[in-house]
């Protein structure tokens, strides 16, 4: 992120230290993740310790320190989903997208991640795309899902 863009965001929050989370949300919204250089610059401009900024950035699951694609795909590998075949769904997604779990496609369109339970076990296997739940997922349905 260019430093003038960061300044615009910080300015919007009037350099208020208590608004750090809002600032981080804005950065993530623009970049899809929190670039480390930007976090360093943010700490410098706000006059707060870098550890405080990193502490917030790593505490909230909504933030990512790694580049993320435009679309976030989350596959549940919890026990209930796993016994219904979510492992095969992950394999299909990995081969279809050409990435491993935790990675982002080169065109920055998709990030693939897994979780251990999404609390909707009866609908498993579950895949969440950009916050929308898709139940009873199968490897066959993956292509249509990506479209
Ligand atoms: S195990 Fe997948 S939702 Fe619970």
């Amino acid at each position: 992120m260019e430093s003038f863009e960061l300044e615009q965001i910080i300015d919007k929050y009037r350099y208020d230290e208590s608004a750090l989370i809002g600032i981080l949300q804005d950065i993530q919204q623009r970049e899809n993740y929190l670039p480390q250089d930007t976090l360093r610059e943010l700490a410098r401009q706000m006059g707060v310790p870098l550890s405080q900024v990193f502490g917030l950035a790593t505490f909230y699951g909504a933030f990512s320190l790694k580049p993320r694609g435009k679309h976030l795909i989350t596959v549940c590998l919890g026990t209930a989903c796993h016994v219904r075949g979510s492992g095969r769904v992950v394999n299909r997604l990995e081969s279809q997208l050409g990435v491993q779990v935790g990675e982002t496609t080169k065109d920055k369109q998709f990030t693939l991640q897994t979780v251990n339970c999404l609390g909707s076990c009866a609908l498993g296997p579950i895949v969440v795309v950009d916050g929308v739940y898709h139940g009873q997922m199968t490897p066959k349905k993956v292509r249509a899902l990506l479209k």
Side-chain angles (χ1 to χ4, degrees):
M1 171 177 278
E2 299 290 339
S3 103
F4 77 89
E5 292 176 295
L6 178 61
E7 267 170 44
Q8 280 174 351
I9 293 175
I10 297 174
D11 207 33
K12 182 176 137 195
Y13 291 92
R14 300 169 197 277
Y15 286 77
D16 182 356
E17 194 181 319
S18 65
L20 264 178
I21 290 179
I23 294 171
L24 292 174
Q25 279 170 335
D26 279 18
I27 296 170
Q28 170 134 330
Q29 200 171 20
R30 256 194 227 195
E31 303 290 313
N32 275 329
Y33 80 113
L34 301 174
Q36 301 215 3
D37 289 352
T38 303
L39 295 186
R40 278 200 190 86
E41 183 61 18
L42 172 63
R44 197 186 64 75
Q45 289 200 27
M46 297 287 291
V48 298
L50 185 57
S51 56
Q52 187 180 340
V53 174
F54 269 103
L56 287 172
T58 51
F59 182 76
Y60 293 98
F63 294 135
S64 174
L65 293 173
K66 281 166 83 180
R68 264 190 189 171
K70 199 169 159 203
H71 304 288
L72 182 61
I73 303 175
T74 306
V75 184
C76 181
L77 283 181
T79 309
C81 287
H82 194 261
V83 297
R84 293 190 180 123
S86 62
R88 288 196 300 278
V89 172
V90 172
N91 292 343
R92 181 61 64 89
L93 279 163
E94 284 180 332
S95 63
Q96 200 93 43
L97 296 170
V99 295
Q100 302 285 304
V101 168
E103 293 179 349
T104 297
T105 54
K106 281 203 182 88
D107 62 4
K108 302 257 191 302
Q109 284 298 302
F110 299 101
T111 295
L112 180 61
Q113 67 178 19
T114 58
V115 289
N116 281 326
C117 182
L118 290 157
S120 302
C121 310
L123 301 174
I126 296 201
V127 176
V128 183
V129 183
D130 297 337
V132 179
Y133 281 50
H134 301 269
Q136 288 153 358
M137 190 51 57
T138 64
K140 270 189 180 170
K141 291 183 187 170
V142 162
R143 187 182 289 271
L145 180 70
L146 291 179
K147 279 187 182 159

